[in-house]
Amino acid sequence: MSNSLLKYASITQKISMSLLGLFLASFLLVHLTINLMLMLPDGGESFRAAAEFMGTNPFIMVFEYVLFAAFFVHIVLGIILWMQNNQARPVAYAKANVSETSFFSKYMIHTGVIIMLFLFLHFVHFYFAKIGLVDASATYMFEGHEHPDFYTMAIELLKQPLYAVIYILSFLALGFHLNHAIQSGFQSLGLEHSKYTPAIKSISTIFALIVAVGFSIIPVFFLIQG
Amino acid sequence: MDLTLKIWRQANTKAKGKMVDYKVTGVSPDSSFFEMLDVLNQSIIEEGGDPVAFDHDCREGICGTCSLYINGRPHGPDSGITTCQLHMRKFKSGDTIYIEPWRAKAFPIIKDLIVNRGAYDEIIQAGGYISVNTGGVPDANAIPIPKVDSDTAMDAASCIGCGACVATCKNASAMLFVAAKVSQFAHLPQGKIEAKRRVQNMVATMDELGFGNCSNTYACEQECPKEISVSHIAKMNREFFAAKLCADVKDI
Ligand code: FES
C-alpha cells in the first residue's frame, strides 16, 4: 500500500521542499537586482560588472553549484510528491471538489513545470554560453580576454516579442508559485504564529508581486524603447 | 421538493461501481439529508431493489460515522457540520445532487457510500495513547494545566475522525487528522514520555497506509465539521522536526 517512491517521511520531504524553496526564492532577489541593471542608461557597464563579479568571485562560483543542486532536488522532490499525491486517490470524484481553498495552492506542479521549462531555456541561452558549450552570440573584451557579452545577449533576446511573451508568462507563473510557496514553506517548517502568520501571508504575496512585476517590466521596457 | 439524485452504487470492494440516477419527490425542506435518503431507500425496498448503503450512527454530529461527499464537498454545502446535521432546506426543488463516497486509496469502498476508515484506527494504534500509572484514581486537578493549553488541546481533541479532511484534500492527505491527534497530546503534560516516538510513528503509519502529502491548500480546515485549525498541522510539523533532530536513541 505504501507510497514507496521515496523512503522519506512525508513531513521530511515537505520540510526539504520548504528549505530549498525558500533558499531559491532568496536568490531570486539577487538575480532581479542584477537584471534591473539592464535598464540603467550606462551602456551596460553596471550589468557587465555584476555579471563579471558573479562569474569570477570564488564564493559565488561555489554557491552556483549549491544553487544548481537546490534547483535539482526541489524539482525532483516536487515531481515525486506530485506522483505520490496522485496515487493517493486512484478514483476521481464524479463531481469535482468545490471546497474553498487558495487558488494557487492547487497548481504548484503546473506553475513549477512552466518555471522549469523556462529555466531550461535560460540555461541554453546563457549558462551554456558561459561554460563554452555553445558560442556566445555577442562578446566583448575584458582584461585582454574575450568574454560572452551577457548584456547584449540579454537585450537582443528581450527585444524579440515572442521571447518577451514567454519571459513574462514564465514570471507570471513564478509569481503564482511564490504567492503560495512562501507562506506554505513557513507552515511546513512549523513556523506558524497567531500574530505573525497573517503578516507572512501578505509578505508572500508582496514578494510574488515584486518578482513577477520586477522581471516582467524589463522586456516591456525594451519593447517600448524599440 | 423534487430532486434528482446521482448516487455511487458499488456492490462490494472489488466490484465496479457507477453513478446511478434516482428521483425523489415530495421531500420536506425541514427533513434532514438522511431522512431524505431513508425515504429513497424505503421506495427502493418497496420496489424490491437493494437500498443504498451509507454510514451513520449518532445522527447528531458527534460520532463521525457519517461520510457523504455531496455536490463536490464532504458533508455537503454547509460548513462546520456533519452529513447527519445537513438539512434539505440547503437545496432547492429541482436540484441535482451528487452523492459519492470518500475517495482515497487508504479508504477502500466497502459498499456503495460506505468506506473502510480502519486506516485511522491503525494511525491511532501507532501512537494515539498515553501511559498512565495504575493504582488509585489521581486527584482531579492534581496536574495544573494553563487554560490556553487545555483549550487548544480540547480544540484538537474535538476531531471525530470522520475523514472529511482526507476526502476533500486534493492529495487525499490525512495531515489534519493526524495533526489533531498529535497536537491534543502535545499541548498537555500527560503523554510526554512517548511524545517523540508518537509523532514519528503516527506519521510513518500515515505514510505507509498510502495517504498523500500535505500541499497546504487548507481545504481540510474549510471542510472539517469541527473546524479544526491547520495551525495543528504546523504544531505537528514542529513536533516532528524536533523529534527527528533531537530524539534519544530509544525514541527513534
Ligand atoms: S452520524 Fe454521527 S456524526 Fe453523523
Side-chain angles (χ1 to χ4, degrees), chain B residues 56-59 61-66 82 84:
Chain B
H56 60 106
D57 189 5
C58 73
R59 291 204 176 194
I62 53 171
C63 74
T65 309
C66 55
T82 52
C84 59

Side-chain angles (χ1 to χ4, degrees), chain A residues 1-3 9-10 12 14 81 84-85 88-89 91 93-95 97-101 180 184 187-188 190 192, chain B residues 69 72 100-101 103 105 166-169 171 207-208 211-216 219 222-223 230-231 234 237-238 240:
Chain A
M1 285 275 278
S2 89
N3 281 331
S10 52
T12 307
K14 289 298 301 177
L81 285 165
Q84 288 177 342
N85 294 342
R89 176 167 296 130
V91 183
Y93 287 109
K95 180 90 177 169
N97 186 281
V98 292
S99 302
E100 228 174 273
T101 57
H180 174 68
S184 172
Q187 165 84 359
S188 292
E192 188 267 352
Chain B
Y69 191 85
E100 298 174 75
R103 294 271 185 213
K105 184 169 112 180
V166 171
T168 197
C169 175
N171 308 332
D207 294 344
E208 258 167 46
F211 291 103
N213 305 286
C214 177
S215 291
N216 300 326
Q222 289 297 319
E223 299 302 349
V230 291
S231 67
N237 291 343
R238 287 199 292 277
F240 183 85

Side-chain angles (χ1 to χ4, degrees), chain A residues 169-185:
Chain A
L169 288 180
S170 305
F171 281 101
L172 208 61
L174 181 57
F176 289 160
H177 199 78
L178 288 170
N179 181 40
H180 174 68
I182 310 278
Q183 55 92 11
S184 172

Side-chain angles (χ1 to χ4, degrees), chain B residues 180-242:
Chain B
K181 301 304 174 192
V182 167
S183 182
Q184 72 185 34
F185 295 125
H187 281 99
L188 297 173
Q190 297 93 337
K192 282 280 176 279
I193 309 160
E194 55 271 281
K196 288 197 166 131
R197 255 176 298 142
R198 172 183 305 118
V199 63
Q200 294 181 82
N201 288 346
M202 289 178 83
V203 169
T205 309
M206 166 181 84
D207 294 344
E208 258 167 46
L209 290 165
F211 291 103
N213 305 286
C214 177
S215 291
N216 300 326
T217 71
Y218 308 142
C220 50
E221 184 183 65
Q222 289 297 319
E223 299 302 349
C224 174
K226 300 299 160 189
E227 299 174 325
I228 293 172
S229 162
V230 291
S231 67
H232 293 290
I233 296 183
K235 171 80 178 165
M236 174 167 71
N237 291 343
R238 287 199 292 277
E239 288 279 310
F240 183 85
F241 204 20

Side-chain angles (χ1 to χ4, degrees), chain A residues 107-180:
Chain A
Y107 301 102
M108 293 304 275
I109 188 76
H110 309 85
T111 48
V113 166
I114 296 174
I115 301 160
M116 186 181 76
L117 293 175
F118 178 77
L119 205 59
F120 184 72
L121 199 66
H122 189 57
F123 256 62
V124 172
H125 283 141
F126 294 98
Y127 190 69
F128 285 5
K130 184 185 165 204
I131 58 171
L133 215 61
V134 296
D135 282 340
S137 61
T139 55
Y140 76 115
M141 295 304 282
F142 182 75
E143 289 174 355
H145 294 284
E146 205 180 28
H147 281 243
D149 182 3
F150 294 120
Y151 175 75
T152 312
M153 285 161 68
I155 291 182
E156 272 172 10
L157 264 179
L158 291 167
K159 279 186 170 167
Q160 297 173 21
L162 178 66
Y163 185 81
V165 170
I166 294 174
Y167 191 88
I168 292 171
L169 288 180
S170 305
F171 281 101
L172 208 61
L174 181 57
F176 289 160
H177 199 78
L178 288 170
N179 181 40
H180 174 68

